[in-house]
Amino acid sequence: RDASWFAAQGPPVLATDFSPSALAHLRGLRERTGETRVDVEMLILNELRRVLPLTASLSRDPHHLYARGLIGSLDEEARANLYRLARTVLRGGRSLFLELSAAVPGADLALPEPTGLTRRFDPDWLRDEIEAHGGVVEFVEIGPGTDMFDQPDPAVARMRVVWPHP
C-alpha cells in the first residue's frame, strides 16, 4: 500500500521492543511498505533511565498503550516500570490493553512460545498486582488466541486497564 493509505488510518504509532533483531525487522517492514506513521524505538523496561524519557515524551499527548505478549516476558521490576509508565501516560481516560498467555487453574496448558522467555500469568493475580500499582482493570476476557509467533494458544487473557486521577 502507498503512504497515503497509512496516513489515513489514524494517529502515529510508536512501536517499542527490547530485541535489536525485532527492531531491525520492524524498521525493514516499515521501509518496504512505505509506512511513515510508525516510529520504532528500543525500550528496556528493566532500566528506569530508558523508561523515564519515554514516559516524558508520551505524556505530552494522549496515548493508549498496547502490549501483546509482553507481560509474560517481564520480571517484577520491569512490570513495575511498565505500570509507572502507564500511570503517568494514561491519565485522562486512556487505556493499557494487555494480551497475555493465561494460567487457568486446573488446566494443564503448555508453556507459551518462546519457551523459557515467556510464561503464563493468572489474570486474577495480575489484576491484584496492577491494582497495587494504582491501576483499575475494567475488562478481562480469557479465550483462544495466539502466542508471540501467531501460533494457537488456548488461553489468552485480554485486559483493559486504566489509571484514574488521584
Side-chain angles (χ1 to χ4, degrees), residues 93-107:
R94 303 298 182 199
S95 300
L96 169 63
F97 297 95
L98 298 173
E99 191 171 315
L100 58 129
S101 293
V104 179

Side-chain angles (χ1 to χ4, degrees), residues 16 35 74 95 110:
T16 63
E35 172 57 71
L74 301 178
S95 300

